[in-house]
Structure formats: structure tokens, C-alpha cells
Amino acid sequence: MVEFCARLRDAGVSYCHWKSNDVLHLSASGDNDLDLLVDRRHLTRFTEVLAACGFKQARPQRRRFVPGVLHFYGLDRATGRFVHVDAQAQLVLGDDTSKNVHLPIEPAYLASCTQGPLFPVPAPEFELAVLVLRLALKHGTWDAAAFGLAPLKGTERRELEYLHACSEPAELRRVVETHLSQIGWDAWTAHFEALHQERDLGTRLVTGRRVVSGASDLMRRRPALDTFTRVRRRVEWGVRHYALGQRNTKRLMAGGRVIAIVGGDGAGKSTLVDNLADWLNGPLDTRVLHMGKPPRSATNLAVKGALGLGRGVGLVRRWLPNYPTAEEHRGEFPGNAWLLWQLVTASDRRRQHRRARSLAAKGHIVVCDRFPLAQVTLMDGPRTGWVPAEGLSPLARRLVAAEQHQYAAITDPDLLLVLRVDPETAVARKQGVDPADFVRPRSAEVYAADWSTTTAQVLDASRPAAEVLAEAREAVWANL
């Protein structure tokens, strides 16, 4: 954060941390968002500094988009947490569901700033004048009261008291009369006193309505339409959040990515997938897909169900283990039933791959648990490559070609993380969970594979999980 602020200062960017400066230490530590007002003439320099510090721009969901507000995320490498920069080129105020008012006083607001310990901060009189308008827009309307949102939050009351104590009365009046002339000193003071003295709900709504009405000429939507928008979105967003479990996430402006985590049993693959997904899904639209065991299609269920029934009654007599090699079976023909089984498995994996690519194209970050690769034949790669071509019937040749065609259509992930761990370590980790003769060869294949000819980033998974996670986060963030 110190480096970021120093670069902004060296670049001559005019900006300030424009609100919630009573808890500025939380913003400086990354616990709170950085709410920055930036001189729009300096936006290019501002974004260049952010890019140089590793920040990436994201966009909110369409229903939450607000003109003039930009969002950037950076990685705090010391803690592994995201730092969210909420950058505003203009002072946009209002209820969270609408942000309907643009207060065009940015030059004066920035001109009032003084340098704080880390960020420039506005004069408390400016910040208090704007805060009262913000509180009226959020809490001083009848619909806010109807939804139980009229009372101030504890953080808002603390901010109000802090700024009041820091403000000089004569200067405060000058700021309000000069820069909030649409509202006026009398209406502003009446609402401030109703909030400060914790008057009854009726008084707060009456005084709040006067402030909101005074700002009507600064609204991008007419007051009646904005009221309707707030009510509709409160209901809609409440259903999405509480009933459907949807989160207020964003998507990177650079687009989505497909990230694959590959490793043998005991490498900590599933744990890393879960940790990365939880980390990314805080601010960004993230999905987890299992590429090794995708949801079964109707065709898969029908074919494998019929083959299983056929084996049970003796109609399918020739059957091989699920992971055969040429050495184990001396190149013998495995039978059409086995080939058909592998084909429907490959078809489901290709379908899952299509879903991953579709989600990434829409802007999601897709974290894949396992991935079909030529280097990992014992888990998710093509299974029919060892089948001898000589003497195959036309049907068998078509089944082999079809299975290999399904895998050939699966493109490499945008980022491949390979967890490499010694097979004996993997066996020890899975002791009492999976048999050693099952774990060892699967781990040995990943461990012995030559990854130098690929774009994979190989992580030493024998280290503590926290170290592996930190390295994985760095790799993911660098590739988003």
C-alpha cells in the first residue's frame, strides 16, 4: 500500500480517500475497500499506476453497474488477501441499489484535501456535508423505513460523530451553502440534527425527504422511478442472496480463465482446489468443475447401465480393468463393450470442457479439479491409445477413433498447476484411505512425467499446504 501511494504521488495523480476516514487505518491495511475519488483528467495515469502494482480491473454485474465508478483488485502478497480499489471519477451517491445522485463538486472536494499519513483526505467539513446527503439518500426515504433500513448503522453514527467533532462550524456552513446550494443550509442542518440527536423516525423521514428533494436535479433517474427501482431491486437482490445464495461478485475486464489443478492422490489437489475457489469467489465470479468425474449424461447412464447389466447376466464376457496398459494386457483386443465404455466417458469429459470454456468466455474464473492430459493416462487421459490397430473390426476402429477424437477436442487450460509429490509420501498421506497399490502408480505417473515441454507450473506439493497455497495464488493472479 505504501508503494502504491508513493507511485501515485510520483505520477502527480490528484486523488483522495473520500469517505470513511474515521477508520482510515482499516483501508490502509486492506481490511476495508479503498474508496478513492480521482481527478478524471488523471485517470490514465491512475490506471497505469494500478497496473504497475499488479491490480486488475473488474466489472460488476450489469444490474450493479454505476457510471463513473471503476473497480480494481490487487493481491496483498503478505496476507494473500485481495485489495479492492473502488475508484470514482465523480462523486456518485445514493442507496446501494441505485446510486442515483451525481454531486458535481469534485474539483472543490479534491482542492480541500490535505496529505494524511498515507492517503490525501478531504477537509472534514466537505466530508461531513456529503455524508449527511449520503445518509438521507440511504436512510431518509419511506421505502428505506418500510424495509427496516431507516436506522443508522453503528459505523455510520461513529463517522457522523467523528466528522462533527473535527469540523469548524463557520467553514461547514460555507461548504454547505456554496456546494450544496440545491439543498440549502436550513434543510441540511435540520436533517443533521435529526440524525445527530437521534430524533424519532417521523422527524428523520421528514427532514430526510427535504434533503433528497433538494438533490432531485442531480439525479440520473426521476425520484419516482428511482423509488420504484430501489424497491424492486431490494426485493430482487434479497431473493438472489437469501433464497438463491447468489453473491455480489464481479468479472475481470480481461475476461475469464480456465485453471486446472492436476496431481496424483495424496498431493493435496482437492484441498488446493477448494482453497483457491474460496479465495477467488470472494470478489470474482468463480466456478469449480470436476473434469475427471463430470456429471453423467443420459447417454452415459444408458450405455453404462446396459453394459453393467450385460456383464451381470453374462452377455458381456470380455472385460478389462479400467486403467489397462499395453504391457499389462500384451496388446490384446479389449472388446467392443470396453471401448464403448471409454467413449461415453470421454464424451462426458468433452461436454464438461465445453461448459468450462463457455463459462470462461462469459467472464467466469473456472477452477478445474483434474484435467484430461496426455501425461496423466491413469486418471483422465485417453484410454484407447494402447489398443493395437491391426486386425480391428470396422466398429472397433470407429470406437477407438471416436474416443480419441473426443479428447483431441479438449484444449489445454489457460493455466495448469501440477502438484508433484514423491509417491511414497503420497502413499503415507493416503494410508487408511486408499490402498497403496492404487495410490502409488497414479502419483508416480505425475511425479515422473516430463512437464518441461508444457506450460505447466509445477509446485512441490511435499511442502506444507500453506506454502503451496501461497505459491498457487501468486501463479493464478499473475495469469488472470
Side-chain angles (χ1 to χ4, degrees):
M1 199 64 65
V2 173
E3 178 190 0
F4 170 58
C5 293
R7 291 196 182 197
L8 287 175
R9 184 169 56 252
D10 293 343
V13 176
S14 176
Y15 79 103
C16 71
H17 193 278
W18 73 275
K19 67 174 184 176
S20 303
N21 289 311
D22 60 317
V23 288
L24 194 56
H25 61 287
L26 296 180
S27 298
S29 65
D31 290 323
N32 283 355
D33 296 346
L34 295 180
D35 296 300
L36 305 183
L37 174 66
V38 183
D39 188 329
R40 65 189 307 139
R41 297 171 300 176
H42 299 170
L43 270 178
T44 300
R45 276 180 273 169
F46 177 76
T47 55
E48 287 173 351
V49 169
L50 284 170
C53 293
F55 282 80
K56 303 177 190 297
Q57 188 173 358
R59 59 180 174 86
Q61 299 166 16
R62 183 171 56 86
R63 59 185 178 273
R64 290 182 180 267
F65 171 74
V66 178
V69 180
L70 307 177
H71 300 273
F72 300 86
Y73 287 93
L75 176 62
D76 183 345
R77 288 172 172 79
T79 63
R81 294 184 302 180
F82 286 113
V83 177
H84 177 205
V85 173
D86 189 330
Q88 299 196 188
Q90 51 191 25
L91 279 173
V92 181
L93 317 173
D95 182 82
D96 291 340
T97 57
S98 68
K99 297 295 184 184
N100 194 41
V101 172
H102 169 214
L103 187 59
I105 64 168
E106 296 87 1
Y109 203 85
L110 288 169
S112 78
C113 291
T114 56
Q115 181 63 48
L118 196 57
F119 307 99
V121 294
E125 294 82 9
F126 269 90
E127 194 174 349
L128 178 57
V130 172
L131 174 62
V132 172
L133 173 56
R134 288 171 49 214
L135 295 178
L137 293 168
K138 293 179 67 173
H139 304 288
T141 59
W142 70 263
D143 55 288
F147 281 84
L149 302 175
L152 299 189
K153 299 176 182 177
T155 54
E156 293 169 330
R157 181 161 301 284
R158 184 182 63 234
E159 185 177 4
L160 187 72
E161 298 294 341
Y162 168 80
L163 292 173
H164 179 239
C166 295
S167 297
E168 197 281 316
E171 176 62 13
L172 176 62
R173 179 165 186 164
R174 186 195 70 79
V175 168
V176 172
E177 290 182 339
T178 303
H179 299 288
L180 276 70
S181 57
Q182 303 90 345
I183 297 169
W185 174 250
D186 291 341
W188 187 95
T189 302
H191 191 52
F192 167 75
E193 291 179 349
L195 296 173
H196 183 243
Q197 298 173 14
E198 300 186 55
R199 300 275 182 83
D200 60 271
L201 176 60
T203 302
R204 285 183 281 121
L205 291 181
V206 168
T207 57
R209 179 179 176 80
R210 289 177 60 193
V211 171
V212 173
S213 297
S216 60
D217 286 348
L218 305 177
M219 296 181 178
R220 56 192 173 107
R221 283 186 295 267
R222 292 178 178 273
L225 177 57
D226 189 52
T227 300
F228 172 77
T229 300
R230 292 195 304 268
V231 171
R232 178 176 60 82
R233 287 182 175 175
R234 284 187 182 119
V235 173
E236 177 190 345
W237 294 5
V239 170
R240 289 178 181 274
H241 179 74
Y242 294 107
L244 303 180
Q246 297 180 0
R247 305 173 68 176
N248 178 23
T249 50
K250 300 177 181 67
R251 300 180 186 180
L252 293 175
M253 293 293 289
R257 301 289 270 175
V258 175
I259 301 165
I261 315 297
V262 170
D265 298 288
K269 173 171 42 51
S270 297
T271 300
L272 181 61
V273 167
D274 291 342
N275 286 338
L276 285 178
D278 289 344
W279 170 66
L280 288 167
N281 203 37
L284 303 175
D285 271 342
T286 306
R287 299 289 183 88
V288 175
L289 299 183
H290 202 300
M291 291 296 296
K293 298 178 180 178
R296 292 189 178 187
S297 64
T299 301
N300 183 303
L301 293 171
V303 169
K304 290 188 176 181
L307 291 176
L309 181 62
R311 290 178 64 195
V313 299
L315 294 177
V316 179
R317 297 181 180 179
R318 187 177 184 81
W319 196 263
L320 299 177
N322 203 26
Y323 310 112
T325 64
E327 293 75 17
E328 290 172 335
H329 299 284
R330 300 189 182 92
E332 296 178 4
F333 176 60
N336 289 335
W338 186 88
L339 294 177
L340 182 59
W341 185 285
Q342 305 310 322
L343 173 58
V344 295
T345 298
S347 179
D348 279 358
R349 287 174 177 161
R350 181 183 180 183
R351 183 179 293 104
Q352 189 79 321
H353 168 262
R354 281 200 298 266
R355 185 183 176 207
R357 280 296 167 194
S358 175
L359 287 168
K362 295 173 183 175
H364 291 78
I365 308 301
V366 184
V367 181
C368 297
D369 190 339
R370 295 167 41 176
F371 205 87
L373 299 168
Q375 293 87 347
V376 190
T377 60
L378 295 182
M379 295 181 70
D380 306 316
R383 300 283 167 75
T384 63
W386 66 272
V387 177
E390 299 80 9
L392 291 184
S393 68
L395 174 59
R397 282 199 297 272
R398 282 194 290 269
L399 289 173
V400 170
E403 190 253 10
Q404 295 179 4
H405 174 72
Q406 299 295 328
Y407 284 109
I410 298 176
T411 61
D412 290 338
D414 299 311
L415 173 64
L416 174 61
L417 298 179
V418 176
L419 300 181
R420 189 171 181 267
V421 64
D422 178 82
E424 298 310 315
T425 301
V427 169
R429 288 178 176 178
K430 301 295 284 186
Q431 188 173 8
V433 179
D434 292 316
D437 57 357
F438 176 79
V439 174
R440 187 177 287 108
R442 288 156 68 99
S443 179
E445 184 179 42
V446 176
Y447 187 78
D450 180 12
W451 299 103
S452 62
T453 59
T454 72
T455 58
Q457 297 197 33
V458 181
L459 309 182
D460 179 5
S462 64
R463 296 172 297 162
E467 293 182 17
V468 177
L469 176 60
E471 186 177 355
R473 283 175 172 172
E474 291 264 4
V476 168
W477 191 244
N479 282 273
L480 290 183

